[in-house]
PDB file of all heavy atoms in Angstrom:
ATOM      1  N   PHE A   1     188.563  57.666 122.318  1.00 92.00           N
ATOM      2  CA  PHE A   1     187.249  57.450 123.057  1.00 92.00           C
ATOM      3  C   PHE A   1     186.240  58.469 122.656  1.00 92.00           C
ATOM      4  O   PHE A   1     186.575  59.475 121.911  1.00 92.00           O
ATOM      5  CB  PHE A   1     187.672  57.790 124.541  1.00 92.00           C
ATOM      6  CG  PHE A   1     187.921  59.219 125.017  1.00 92.00           C
ATOM      7  CD1 PHE A   1     186.929  60.044 125.341  1.00 92.00           C
ATOM      8  CD2 PHE A   1     189.181  59.765 124.854  1.00 92.00           C
ATOM      9  CE1 PHE A   1     187.176  61.404 125.676  1.00 92.00           C
ATOM     10  CE2 PHE A   1     189.512  61.145 125.140  1.00 92.00           C
ATOM     11  CZ  PHE A   1     188.460  61.934 125.637  1.00 92.00           C
ATOM     12  N   GLY A   2     185.077  58.322 123.028  1.00 92.00           N
ATOM     13  CA  GLY A   2     183.979  59.192 122.577  1.00 92.00           C
ATOM     14  C   GLY A   2     182.788  59.095 123.551  1.00 92.00           C
ATOM     15  O   GLY A   2     182.722  58.362 124.474  1.00 92.00           O
ATOM     16  N   ALA A   3     181.896  60.045 123.274  1.00 94.00           N
ATOM     17  CA  ALA A   3     180.734  60.179 124.157  1.00 94.00           C
ATOM     18  C   ALA A   3     179.568  60.700 123.272  1.00 94.00           C
ATOM     19  O   ALA A   3     179.794  61.396 122.349  1.00 94.00           O
ATOM     20  CB  ALA A   3     180.869  61.097 125.337  1.00 94.00           C
ATOM     21  N   ASN A   4     178.388  60.101 123.490  1.00 92.00           N
ATOM     22  CA  ASN A   4     177.186  60.513 122.653  1.00 92.00           C
ATOM     23  C   ASN A   4     175.867  60.512 123.419  1.00 92.00           C
ATOM     24  O   ASN A   4     175.754  59.677 124.412  1.00 92.00           O
ATOM     25  CB  ASN A   4     177.075  59.483 121.449  1.00 92.00           C
ATOM     26  CG  ASN A   4     176.709  58.148 121.817  1.00 92.00           C
ATOM     27  OD1 ASN A   4     177.646  57.464 122.457  1.00 92.00           O
ATOM     28  ND2 ASN A   4     175.449  57.747 121.639  1.00 92.00           N
ATOM     29  N   LEU A   5     175.011  61.422 123.034  1.00 93.00           N
ATOM     30  CA  LEU A   5     173.729  61.454 123.562  1.00 93.00           C
ATOM     31  C   LEU A   5     172.716  61.285 122.469  1.00 93.00           C
ATOM     32  O   LEU A   5     172.652  62.075 121.412  1.00 93.00           O
ATOM     33  CB  LEU A   5     173.474  62.835 124.301  1.00 93.00           C
ATOM     34  CG  LEU A   5     172.034  63.177 124.854  1.00 93.00           C
ATOM     35  CD1 LEU A   5     171.669  62.180 125.922  1.00 93.00           C
ATOM     36  CD2 LEU A   5     171.926  64.543 125.176  1.00 93.00           C
ATOM     37  N   GLY A   6     171.820  60.243 122.555  1.00 90.00           N
ATOM     38  CA  GLY A   6     171.083  59.905 121.501  1.00 90.00           C
ATOM     39  C   GLY A   6     169.570  59.643 121.940  1.00 90.00           C
ATOM     40  O   GLY A   6     169.266  59.619 123.011  1.00 90.00           O
ATOM     41  N   LEU A   7     168.705  59.460 120.788  1.00 91.00           N
ATOM     42  CA  LEU A   7     167.298  59.049 121.062  1.00 91.00           C
ATOM     43  C   LEU A   7     167.022  57.644 120.500  1.00 91.00           C
ATOM     44  O   LEU A   7     167.633  57.211 119.510  1.00 91.00           O
ATOM     45  CB  LEU A   7     166.378  60.126 120.465  1.00 91.00           C
ATOM     46  CG  LEU A   7     166.372  61.605 121.085  1.00 91.00           C
ATOM     47  CD1 LEU A   7     165.475  62.383 120.171  1.00 91.00           C
ATOM     48  CD2 LEU A   7     165.793  61.559 122.467  1.00 91.00           C
ATOM     49  N   GLY A   8     166.080  57.061 121.023  1.00 92.00           N
ATOM     50  CA  GLY A   8     165.567  55.749 120.388  1.00 92.00           C
ATOM     51  C   GLY A   8     164.119  55.370 121.009  1.00 92.00           C
ATOM     52  O   GLY A   8     163.597  56.108 121.830  1.00 92.00           O
ATOM     53  N   LEU A   9     163.634  54.402 120.480  1.00 92.00           N
ATOM     54  CA  LEU A   9     162.418  53.842 121.014  1.00 92.00           C
ATOM     55  C   LEU A   9     162.315  52.352 120.662  1.00 92.00           C
ATOM     56  O   LEU A   9     162.879  51.710 119.852  1.00 92.00           O
ATOM     57  CB  LEU A   9     161.215  54.563 120.284  1.00 92.00           C
ATOM     58  CG  LEU A   9     160.907  54.514 118.871  1.00 92.00           C
ATOM     59  CD1 LEU A   9     160.175  53.301 118.403  1.00 92.00           C
ATOM     60  CD2 LEU A   9     160.300  55.781 118.246  1.00 92.00           C
ATOM     61  N   ASN A  10     161.480  51.682 121.595  1.00 96.00           N
ATOM     62  CA  ASN A  10     161.227  50.223 121.451  1.00 96.00           C
ATOM     63  C   ASN A  10     159.732  50.084 121.247  1.00 96.00           C
ATOM     64  O   ASN A  10     158.883  50.774 121.835  1.00 96.00           O
ATOM     65  CB  ASN A  10     161.618  49.505 122.786  1.00 96.00           C
ATOM     66  CG  ASN A  10     163.035  49.656 123.026  1.00 96.00           C
ATOM     67  OD1 ASN A  10     163.331  50.053 124.389  1.00 96.00           O
ATOM     68  ND2 ASN A  10     163.939  49.463 122.185  1.00 96.00           N
ATOM     69  N   TYR A  11     159.354  49.232 120.225  1.00 96.00           N
ATOM     70  CA  TYR A  11     157.948  48.794 120.035  1.00 96.00           C
ATOM     71  C   TYR A  11     157.802  47.383 120.504  1.00 96.00           C
ATOM     72  O   TYR A  11     158.435  46.449 119.831  1.00 96.00           O
ATOM     73  CB  TYR A  11     157.693  48.923 118.586  1.00 96.00           C
ATOM     74  CG  TYR A  11     156.262  48.455 118.290  1.00 96.00           C
ATOM     75  CD1 TYR A  11     155.182  49.080 118.696  1.00 96.00           C
ATOM     76  CD2 TYR A  11     156.067  47.063 117.679  1.00 96.00           C
ATOM     77  CE1 TYR A  11     153.840  48.608 118.447  1.00 96.00           C
ATOM     78  CE2 TYR A  11     154.755  46.666 117.390  1.00 96.00           C
ATOM     79  CZ  TYR A  11     153.679  47.353 117.825  1.00 96.00           C
ATOM     80  OH  TYR A  11     152.465  46.965 117.558  1.00 96.00           O
ATOM     81  N   PHE A  12     156.995  47.096 121.450  1.00 97.00           N
ATOM     82  CA  PHE A  12     156.836  45.731 122.000  1.00 97.00           C
ATOM     83  C   PHE A  12     155.840  44.906 121.048  1.00 97.00           C
ATOM     84  O   PHE A  12     154.637  45.227 121.107  1.00 97.00           O
ATOM     85  CB  PHE A  12     156.432  45.774 123.426  1.00 97.00           C
ATOM     86  CG  PHE A  12     157.490  46.026 124.386  1.00 97.00           C
ATOM     87  CD1 PHE A  12     157.981  47.293 124.714  1.00 97.00           C
ATOM     88  CD2 PHE A  12     158.103  44.916 125.020  1.00 97.00           C
ATOM     89  CE1 PHE A  12     159.063  47.464 125.537  1.00 97.00           C
ATOM     90  CE2 PHE A  12     159.149  45.125 125.940  1.00 97.00           C
ATOM     91  CZ  PHE A  12     159.659  46.415 126.308  1.00 97.00           C
ATOM     92  N   VAL A  13     156.408  43.887 120.488  1.00 96.00           N
ATOM     93  CA  VAL A  13     155.567  42.952 119.768  1.00 96.00           C
ATOM     94  C   VAL A  13     154.941  41.964 120.621  1.00 96.00           C
ATOM     95  O   VAL A  13     153.675  41.728 120.442  1.00 96.00           O
ATOM     96  CB  VAL A  13     156.506  42.296 118.726  1.00 96.00           C
ATOM     97  CG1 VAL A  13     155.558  41.287 117.882  1.00 96.00           C
ATOM     98  CG2 VAL A  13     157.166  43.247 117.732  1.00 96.00           C
ATOM     99  N   THR A  14     155.667  41.478 121.660  1.00 96.00           N
ATOM    100  CA  THR A  14     155.067  40.698 122.734  1.00 96.00           C
ATOM    101  C   THR A  14     155.564  41.350 124.027  1.00 96.00           C
ATOM    102  O   THR A  14     156.257  42.317 123.960  1.00 96.00           O
ATOM    103  CB  THR A  14     155.616  39.226 122.641  1.00 96.00           C
ATOM    104  OG1 THR A  14     157.025  39.172 122.896  1.00 96.00           O
ATOM    105  CG2 THR A  14     155.365  38.688 121.303  1.00 96.00           C
ATOM    106  N   GLU A  15     155.202  40.620 125.221  1.00 95.00           N
ATOM    107  CA  GLU A  15     155.756  41.167 126.401  1.00 95.00           C
ATOM    108  C   GLU A  15     157.228  41.160 126.501  1.00 95.00           C
ATOM    109  O   GLU A  15     157.842  41.964 127.404  1.00 95.00           O
ATOM    110  CB  GLU A  15     155.107  40.407 127.642  1.00 95.00           C
ATOM    111  CG  GLU A  15     153.568  40.563 127.719  1.00 95.00           C
ATOM    112  CD  GLU A  15     152.980  39.827 128.867  1.00 95.00           C
ATOM    113  OE1 GLU A  15     153.015  40.367 129.964  1.00 95.00           O
ATOM    114  OE2 GLU A  15     152.589  38.648 128.569  1.00 95.00           O
ATOM    115  N   ARG A  16     157.922  40.307 125.900  1.00 95.00           N
ATOM    116  CA  ARG A  16     159.375  40.178 126.029  1.00 95.00           C
ATOM    117  C   ARG A  16     160.193  40.630 124.823  1.00 95.00           C
ATOM    118  O   ARG A  16     161.328  40.986 124.928  1.00 95.00           O
ATOM    119  CB  ARG A  16     159.687  38.701 126.248  1.00 95.00           C
ATOM    120  CG  ARG A  16     159.275  38.275 127.718  1.00 95.00           C
ATOM    121  CD  ARG A  16     159.675  36.948 128.168  1.00 95.00           C
ATOM    122  NE  ARG A  16     159.412  36.513 129.386  1.00 95.00           N
ATOM    123  CZ  ARG A  16     160.093  37.038 130.600  1.00 95.00           C
ATOM    124  NH1 ARG A  16     161.030  37.795 130.583  1.00 95.00           N
ATOM    125  NH2 ARG A  16     159.405  36.527 131.742  1.00 95.00           N
ATOM    126  N   PHE A  17     159.605  40.519 123.536  1.00 96.00           N
ATOM    127  CA  PHE A  17     160.267  40.987 122.374  1.00 96.00           C
ATOM    128  C   PHE A  17     159.834  42.319 121.945  1.00 96.00           C
ATOM    129  O   PHE A  17     158.650  42.629 121.922  1.00 96.00           O
ATOM    130  CB  PHE A  17     159.982  39.926 121.284  1.00 96.00           C
ATOM    131  CG  PHE A  17     160.900  38.730 121.309  1.00 96.00           C
ATOM    132  CD1 PHE A  17     160.301  37.553 121.820  1.00 96.00           C
ATOM    133  CD2 PHE A  17     162.202  38.845 120.852  1.00 96.00           C
ATOM    134  CE1 PHE A  17     161.173  36.396 121.925  1.00 96.00           C
ATOM    135  CE2 PHE A  17     162.998  37.559 120.983  1.00 96.00           C
ATOM    136  CZ  PHE A  17     162.408  36.501 121.421  1.00 96.00           C
ATOM    137  N   ALA A  18     160.800  43.179 121.595  1.00 97.00           N
ATOM    138  CA  ALA A  18     160.583  44.481 121.053  1.00 97.00           C
ATOM    139  C   ALA A  18     161.414  44.753 119.884  1.00 97.00           C
ATOM    140  O   ALA A  18     162.500  44.321 119.764  1.00 97.00           O
ATOM    141  CB  ALA A  18     160.760  45.568 122.134  1.00 97.00           C
ATOM    142  N   ILE A  19     160.839  45.579 118.856  1.00 96.00           N
ATOM    143  CA  ILE A  19     161.714  46.056 117.851  1.00 96.00           C
ATOM    144  C   ILE A  19     162.366  47.341 118.320  1.00 96.00           C
ATOM    145  O   ILE A  19     161.641  48.346 118.912  1.00 96.00           O
ATOM    146  CB  ILE A  19     160.883  46.315 116.571  1.00 96.00           C
ATOM    147  CG1 ILE A  19     160.256  45.021 116.179  1.00 96.00           C
ATOM    148  CG2 ILE A  19     161.726  46.916 115.411  1.00 96.00           C
ATOM    149  CD1 ILE A  19     159.267  45.142 114.993  1.00 96.00           C
ATOM    150  N   SER A  20     163.543  47.565 118.078  1.00 95.00           N
ATOM    151  CA  SER A  20     164.432  48.786 118.502  1.00 95.00           C
ATOM    152  C   SER A  20     164.625  49.704 117.226  1.00 95.00           C
ATOM    153  O   SER A  20     165.022  49.257 116.156  1.00 95.00           O
ATOM    154  CB  SER A  20     165.667  48.406 119.115  1.00 95.00           C
ATOM    155  OG  SER A  20     165.502  47.654 120.301  1.00 95.00           O
ATOM    156  N   PHE A  21     164.456  50.981 117.491  1.00 91.00           N
ATOM    157  CA  PHE A  21     164.793  52.019 116.471  1.00 91.00           C
ATOM    158  C   PHE A  21     165.695  52.967 117.147  1.00 91.00           C
ATOM    159  O   PHE A  21     165.274  53.796 118.079  1.00 91.00           O
ATOM    160  CB  PHE A  21     163.586  52.750 116.086  1.00 91.00           C
ATOM    161  CG  PHE A  21     162.468  51.900 115.462  1.00 91.00           C
ATOM    162  CD1 PHE A  21     161.623  51.343 116.283  1.00 91.00           C
ATOM    163  CD2 PHE A  21     162.496  51.592 114.133  1.00 91.00           C
ATOM    164  CE1 PHE A  21     160.580  50.502 115.749  1.00 91.00           C
ATOM    165  CE2 PHE A  21     161.384  50.813 113.591  1.00 91.00           C
ATOM    166  CZ  PHE A  21     160.524  50.265 114.458  1.00 91.00           C
ATOM    167  N   VAL A  22     167.091  53.012 116.765  1.00 88.00           N
ATOM    168  CA  VAL A  22     168.015  54.040 117.288  1.00 88.00           C
ATOM    169  C   VAL A  22     167.932  55.028 116.334  1.00 88.00           C
ATOM    170  O   VAL A  22     168.503  55.055 115.238  1.00 88.00           O
ATOM    171  CB  VAL A  22     169.431  53.436 117.473  1.00 88.00           C
ATOM    172  CG1 VAL A  22     170.385  54.501 118.015  1.00 88.00           C
ATOM    173  CG2 VAL A  22     169.309  52.204 118.489  1.00 88.00           C
ATOM    174  N   LEU A  23     167.354  56.278 116.784  1.00 79.00           N
ATOM    175  CA  LEU A  23     167.084  57.376 115.803  1.00 79.00           C
ATOM    176  C   LEU A  23     168.334  58.066 115.271  1.00 79.00           C
ATOM    177  O   LEU A  23     168.649  58.180 114.132  1.00 79.00           O
ATOM    178  CB  LEU A  23     165.934  58.168 116.291  1.00 79.00           C
ATOM    179  CG  LEU A  23     164.627  57.444 116.664  1.00 79.00           C
ATOM    180  CD1 LEU A  23     163.681  58.469 117.254  1.00 79.00           C
ATOM    181  CD2 LEU A  23     164.022  56.746 115.510  1.00 79.00           C
ATOM    182  N   SER A  24     168.879  58.732 116.194  1.00 71.00           N
ATOM    183  CA  SER A  24     170.084  59.597 115.855  1.00 71.00           C
ATOM    184  C   SER A  24     170.619  60.166 117.057  1.00 71.00           C
ATOM    185  O   SER A  24     170.138  60.094 118.160  1.00 71.00           O
ATOM    186  CB  SER A  24     169.469  60.779 114.995  1.00 71.00           C
ATOM    187  OG  SER A  24     170.627  61.545 114.611  1.00 71.00           O
ATOM    188  N   ASP A  25     172.081  60.563 116.894  1.00 78.00           N
ATOM    189  CA  ASP A  25     172.686  61.194 117.950  1.00 78.00           C
ATOM    190  C   ASP A  25     172.375  62.696 118.010  1.00 78.00           C
ATOM    191  O   ASP A  25     172.438  63.301 116.923  1.00 78.00           O
ATOM    192  CB  ASP A  25     174.181  61.013 117.890  1.00 78.00           C
ATOM    193  CG  ASP A  25     174.685  59.622 118.358  1.00 78.00           C
ATOM    194  OD1 ASP A  25     173.951  58.980 119.010  1.00 78.00           O
ATOM    195  OD2 ASP A  25     175.689  59.215 117.863  1.00 78.00           O
ATOM    196  N   ILE A  26     171.951  63.215 119.129  1.00 81.00           N
ATOM    197  CA  ILE A  26     171.805  64.682 119.281  1.00 81.00           C
ATOM    198  C   ILE A  26     173.104  65.318 119.441  1.00 81.00           C
ATOM    199  O   ILE A  26     173.419  66.405 118.870  1.00 81.00           O
ATOM    200  CB  ILE A  26     170.915  64.904 120.467  1.00 81.00           C
ATOM    201  CG1 ILE A  26     169.466  64.348 120.269  1.00 81.00           C
ATOM    202  CG2 ILE A  26     170.593  66.448 120.610  1.00 81.00           C
ATOM    203  CD1 ILE A  26     168.576  64.448 121.436  1.00 81.00           C
ATOM    204  N   LEU A  27     173.893  64.822 120.216  1.00 86.00           N
ATOM    205  CA  LEU A  27     175.259  65.370 120.574  1.00 86.00           C
ATOM    206  C   LEU A  27     176.269  64.224 120.555  1.00 86.00           C
ATOM    207  O   LEU A  27     176.007  63.091 121.079  1.00 86.00           O
ATOM    208  CB  LEU A  27     175.371  66.002 121.907  1.00 86.00           C
ATOM    209  CG  LEU A  27     174.442  67.274 122.254  1.00 86.00           C
ATOM    210  CD1 LEU A  27     174.460  67.712 123.621  1.00 86.00           C
ATOM    211  CD2 LEU A  27     174.816  68.370 121.314  1.00 86.00           C
ATOM    212  N   SER A  28     177.537  64.404 120.100  1.00 87.00           N
ATOM    213  CA  SER A  28     178.518  63.515 119.982  1.00 87.00           C
ATOM    214  C   SER A  28     179.877  64.245 120.029  1.00 87.00           C
ATOM    215  O   SER A  28     180.147  65.177 119.445  1.00 87.00           O
ATOM    216  CB  SER A  28     178.423  62.515 118.825  1.00 87.00           C
ATOM    217  OG  SER A  28     178.637  63.290 117.586  1.00 87.00           O
ATOM    218  N   TYR A  29     180.946  63.502 120.858  1.00 90.00           N
ATOM    219  CA  TYR A  29     182.175  63.949 120.865  1.00 90.00           C
ATOM    220  C   TYR A  29     183.072  62.744 120.718  1.00 90.00           C
ATOM    221  O   TYR A  29     182.915  61.658 121.260  1.00 90.00           O
ATOM    222  CB  TYR A  29     182.558  64.577 122.198  1.00 90.00           C
ATOM    223  CG  TYR A  29     183.953  64.848 122.515  1.00 90.00           C
ATOM    224  CD1 TYR A  29     184.522  66.053 121.845  1.00 90.00           C
ATOM    225  CD2 TYR A  29     184.772  64.048 123.206  1.00 90.00           C
ATOM    226  CE1 TYR A  29     185.736  66.387 121.980  1.00 90.00           C
ATOM    227  CE2 TYR A  29     186.075  64.349 123.304  1.00 90.00           C
ATOM    228  CZ  TYR A  29     186.590  65.520 122.776  1.00 90.00           C
ATOM    229  OH  TYR A  29     187.982  65.787 122.954  1.00 90.00           O
ATOM    230  N   ASN A  30     184.150  62.863 119.875  1.00 87.00           N
ATOM    231  CA  ASN A  30     185.125  61.810 119.614  1.00 87.00           C
ATOM    232  C   ASN A  30     186.494  62.408 119.541  1.00 87.00           C
ATOM    233  O   ASN A  30     186.757  63.517 119.072  1.00 87.00           O
ATOM    234  CB  ASN A  30     184.866  61.201 118.298  1.00 87.00           C
ATOM    235  CG  ASN A  30     183.476  60.388 118.290  1.00 87.00           C
ATOM    236  OD1 ASN A  30     183.499  59.254 118.840  1.00 87.00           O
ATOM    237  ND2 ASN A  30     182.426  60.986 117.702  1.00 87.00           N
ATOM    238  N   SER A  31     187.420  61.598 120.104  1.00 88.00           N
ATOM    239  CA  SER A  31     188.884  62.018 120.110  1.00 88.00           C
ATOM    240  C   SER A  31     189.647  60.674 119.762  1.00 88.00           C
ATOM    241  O   SER A  31     189.487  59.771 120.375  1.00 88.00           O
ATOM    242  CB  SER A  31     189.340  62.505 121.452  1.00 88.00           C
ATOM    243  OG  SER A  31     190.643  62.883 121.512  1.00 88.00           O
ATOM    244  N   ALA A  32     190.624  60.966 118.829  1.00 85.00           N
ATOM    245  CA  ALA A  32     191.384  59.719 118.399  1.00 85.00           C
ATOM    246  C   ALA A  32     192.762  60.079 118.138  1.00 85.00           C
ATOM    247  O   ALA A  32     193.011  61.239 117.780  1.00 85.00           O
ATOM    248  CB  ALA A  32     190.777  59.133 117.148  1.00 85.00           C
ATOM    249  N   LYS A  33     193.748  59.129 118.356  1.00 82.00           N
ATOM    250  CA  LYS A  33     195.130  59.397 118.084  1.00 82.00           C
ATOM    251  C   LYS A  33     195.716  58.241 117.279  1.00 82.00           C
ATOM    252  O   LYS A  33     195.510  57.084 117.701  1.00 82.00           O
ATOM    253  CB  LYS A  33     195.862  59.654 119.372  1.00 82.00           C
ATOM    254  CG  LYS A  33     197.387  59.867 119.282  1.00 82.00           C
ATOM    255  CD  LYS A  33     198.009  60.107 120.609  1.00 82.00           C
ATOM    256  CE  LYS A  33     199.474  60.413 120.421  1.00 82.00           C
ATOM    257  NZ  LYS A  33     200.158  60.698 121.873  1.00 82.00           N
TER     258      LYS A  33
END
């Protein structure tokens, strides 16, 4: 399992459609077995 805190933004081309930019994770934690 994992957890992450990130940043992003949306640019609205129309009222309903937007381009998404997921910039980066500021903090992240992961654990695997």
Side-chain angles (χ1 to χ4, degrees):
F1 70 94
N4 65 285
L5 174 64
L7 290 175
L9 59 88
N10 302 130
Y11 173 75
F12 277 85
V13 181
T14 69
E15 291 182 85
R16 294 193 177 276
F17 278 101
I19 300 174
S20 298
F21 305 88
V22 180
L23 303 180
S24 181
D25 285 337
I26 300 175
L27 300 172
S28 63
Y29 172 81
N30 292 281
S31 179
K33 182 178 180 180

